[in-house]
Amino acid sequence: MTPAGVRAVTSIVERIIGGSVRQVGTEYCFYVEEACEPHGERDLAILQYLLCETFEPEWFGVTSFLDAEFATVLEDGP
C-alpha cells in the first residue's frame, strides 16, 4: 500500500473509532484457493517461489507478520 493509501485508511479508521491511531503497519497478503486436490510439496514450493521472489524473500511467510507486532489487525482489500 502506498503512503497515501495508508493515510487514507488511517483517516477512515480514526473517524470510525473516534480517536487517533498510534501506529500503522502494512503487508501484502495472498489468498490462494485450492482447486480440488490438496497441493503437494512441490506445488507449494513453486507457489512460494513465485510469491516471495517478487518481493523481499525474508518478508515472506505463511502467517501474518503483523499479528505478533500489533494488538489489532484490520484487513483492507478485495
Side-chain angles (χ1 to χ4, degrees):
M1 180 178 286
T2 66
V6 171
R7 286 191 300 274
V9 171
T10 301
S11 176
I12 293 167
V13 170
E14 287 177 336
R15 279 188 302 215
I16 291 170
I17 66 172
S20 64
V21 173
R22 293 181 301 219
Q23 188 179 13
V24 175
T26 64
E27 68 181 2
Y28 288 97
C29 295
F30 298 94
Y31 295 91
V32 178
E33 184 177 345
E34 295 179 332
C36 294
E37 298 293 321
H39 293 296
E41 284 189 36
R42 183 176 185 273
D43 291 338
L44 290 174
I46 291 169
L47 182 61
Q48 180 176 343
Y49 172 79
L50 291 172
L51 294 177
C52 77
E53 186 64 21
T54 305
F55 300 99
E56 300 174 67
E58 65 273 10
W59 287 105
F60 180 83
V62 295
T63 60
S64 173
F65 293 101
L66 299 177
D67 287 340
E69 190 174 338
F70 298 95
T72 303
V73 175
L74 301 174
E75 290 193 29
D76 172 48

